[in-house]
Coordinates of all heavy atoms in Angstrom, one line a residue:
R1466 N 37.2 136.0 33.5 CA 38.5 136.6 33.2 C 38.6 137.9 34.1 O 37.7 138.6 34.2 CB 38.6 137.0 31.7 CG 37.3 137.7 31.2 CD 37.6 138.6 30.0 NE 36.4 139.1 29.4 CZ 35.7 140.1 29.9 NH1 36.1 140.7 31.0 NH2 34.6 140.6 29.3
L1467 N 39.8 138.1 34.6 CA 40.0 139.3 35.4 C 41.3 140.0 34.9 O 41.7 141.0 35.5 CB 40.2 138.9 36.9 CG 38.9 138.4 37.6 CD1 39.3 137.9 39.0 CD2 37.9 139.5 37.6
D1468 N 41.9 139.5 33.9 CA 43.2 140.1 33.5 C 43.1 141.1 32.4 O 44.1 141.6 31.9 CB 44.2 139.0 33.1 CG 43.7 138.1 31.9 OD1 42.5 138.4 31.4 OD2 44.4 137.2 31.5
G1469 N 41.9 141.3 31.9 CA 41.7 142.3 30.8 C 42.1 141.8 29.4 O 42.0 142.5 28.5
S1470 N 42.4 140.5 29.3 CA 42.8 140.0 28.0 C 41.7 139.7 27.1 O 41.9 139.7 25.9 CB 43.6 138.6 28.3 OG 42.7 137.7 28.7
G1471 N 40.5 139.6 27.6 CA 39.4 139.2 26.7 C 39.2 137.7 26.5 O 38.3 137.3 25.8
H1472 N 40.1 136.9 27.0 CA 40.1 135.5 26.8 C 38.9 134.9 27.6 O 38.6 135.4 28.7 CB 41.4 134.8 27.2 CG 42.5 135.2 26.4 ND1 42.5 135.2 25.0 CD2 43.8 135.7 26.7 CE1 43.7 135.6 24.5 NE2 44.4 135.9 25.5
A1473 N 38.3 133.9 27.0 CA 37.2 133.2 27.8 C 37.8 132.5 28.9 O 38.9 132.0 28.9 CB 36.5 132.3 26.8
P1474 N 37.0 132.2 30.0 CA 37.5 131.4 31.1 C 37.9 130.0 30.7 O 37.4 129.5 29.7 CB 36.2 131.4 32.0 CG 35.4 132.6 31.6 CD 35.6 132.7 30.2
S1475 N 38.8 129.5 31.4 CA 39.3 128.2 31.1 C 38.4 127.1 31.5 O 37.4 127.3 32.3 CB 40.7 127.9 31.8 OG 40.5 127.9 33.2
A1476 N 38.6 125.9 30.9 CA 37.7 124.8 31.3 C 37.8 124.5 32.8 O 36.8 124.0 33.4 CB 38.1 123.5 30.5
A1477 N 38.9 124.7 33.4 CA 39.1 124.5 34.8 C 38.1 125.3 35.7 O 37.7 124.9 36.8 CB 40.5 124.8 35.3
S1478 N 37.7 126.5 35.1 CA 36.8 127.3 35.9 C 35.4 126.7 36.0 O 34.6 127.2 36.8 CB 36.7 128.7 35.3 OG 36.0 128.7 34.0
R1479 N 35.1 125.7 35.2 CA 33.8 125.1 35.2 C 33.8 123.8 36.1 O 32.8 123.0 36.0 CB 33.3 124.8 33.8 CG 33.2 126.0 33.0 CD 32.5 125.8 31.6 NE 33.4 125.0 30.7 CZ 34.3 125.6 29.9 NH1 34.4 126.9 29.9 NH2 35.0 124.8 29.1
D1480 N 34.9 123.6 36.8 CA 35.0 122.4 37.6 C 34.5 122.7 39.0 O 35.1 123.5 39.7 CB 36.5 121.9 37.7 CG 36.6 120.6 38.5 OD1 35.6 120.1 39.0 OD2 37.8 120.2 38.7
Y1481 N 33.4 122.1 39.4 CA 32.8 122.3 40.7 C 32.8 121.1 41.6 O 32.1 121.0 42.6 CB 31.4 122.9 40.6 CG 31.3 124.2 39.9 CD1 31.3 124.4 38.5 CD2 31.4 125.4 40.7 CE1 31.2 125.6 37.9 CE2 31.4 126.6 40.1 CZ 31.3 126.7 38.7 OH 31.3 128.0 38.1
D1482 N 33.7 120.2 41.3 CA 33.9 119.0 42.1 C 32.6 118.2 42.3 O 32.4 117.7 43.4 CB 34.6 119.4 43.4 CG 35.2 118.1 44.1 OD1 35.6 117.2 43.4 OD2 35.3 118.2 45.4
G1483 N 31.8 118.2 41.3 CA 30.6 117.4 41.4 C 29.4 118.1 42.1 O 28.3 117.5 42.2
D1484 N 29.6 119.3 42.6 CA 28.5 119.9 43.4 C 28.5 121.4 43.1 O 29.0 122.3 43.8 CB 28.7 119.7 44.9 CG 27.6 120.3 45.7 OD1 26.6 120.7 45.2 OD2 27.8 120.4 47.0
V1485 N 27.9 121.8 41.9 CA 27.9 123.2 41.5 C 27.0 124.0 42.4 O 27.4 125.2 42.7 CB 27.4 123.3 40.0 CG1 25.9 122.9 39.9 CG2 27.6 124.7 39.5
V1486 N 26.0 123.5 42.9 CA 25.1 124.2 43.8 C 25.8 124.6 45.1 O 25.9 125.8 45.5 CB 23.8 123.5 44.1 CG1 22.9 124.3 45.1 CG2 23.0 123.3 42.8
G1487 N 26.3 123.6 45.8 CA 27.0 123.8 47.0 C 28.2 124.7 46.9 O 28.5 125.6 47.7
T1488 N 29.0 124.5 45.8 CA 30.2 125.3 45.6 C 29.8 126.8 45.3 O 30.5 127.7 45.9 CB 31.0 124.8 44.5 OG1 31.3 123.4 44.7 CG2 32.3 125.5 44.3
V1489 N 28.8 127.0 44.5 CA 28.4 128.4 44.1 C 27.9 129.1 45.4 O 28.3 130.3 45.7 CB 27.4 128.4 43.0 CG1 26.7 129.8 42.9 CG2 28.0 128.0 41.7
V1490 N 27.1 128.4 46.2 CA 26.6 129.0 47.4 C 27.8 129.3 48.4 O 27.8 130.4 48.9 CB 25.6 128.1 48.1 CG1 25.2 128.6 49.5 CG2 24.3 128.0 47.2
D1491 N 28.7 128.4 48.5 CA 29.9 128.7 49.4 C 30.7 129.9 48.9 O 31.1 130.7 49.7 CB 30.7 127.4 49.5 CG 30.1 126.3 50.3 OD1 29.1 126.6 51.0 OD2 30.6 125.2 50.3
E1492 N 30.9 129.9 47.6 CA 31.7 131.0 47.1 C 31.0 132.4 47.1 O 31.6 133.4 47.4 CB 32.2 130.7 45.6 CG 33.2 129.5 45.6 CD 33.6 129.1 44.2 OE1 33.2 129.8 43.2 OE2 34.4 128.2 44.1
L1493 N 29.7 132.3 47.0 CA 29.0 133.6 47.1 C 28.9 134.0 48.6 O 29.0 135.2 48.9 CB 27.5 133.4 46.6 CG 27.4 133.6 45.1 CD1 25.9 133.3 44.7 CD2 27.7 135.0 44.6
A1494 N 28.8 133.1 49.5 CA 28.8 133.4 50.9 C 30.2 134.0 51.3 O 30.2 135.0 52.1 CB 28.6 132.2 51.8
A1495 N 31.3 133.5 50.8 CA 32.6 134.1 51.0 C 32.7 135.5 50.4 O 33.3 136.4 51.0 CB 33.7 133.2 50.4

């Protein structure tokens, strides 16, 4: 969450298109 609402992240935020390792590494690199 980045909006200050206190709401938990949505289910869509846990979608890594089948490759959580590669996606997390790419997003951290960015």
Side-chain angles (χ1 to χ4, degrees):
R1466 49 157 171 77
L1467 294 174
D1468 59 1
S1470 68
H1472 296 308
S1475 67
S1478 71
R1479 299 188 290 273
D1480 182 4
Y1481 293 90
D1482 197 27
D1484 182 10
V1485 66
V1486 176
T1488 303
V1489 166
V1490 170
D1491 288 346
E1492 292 180 2
L1493 278 174

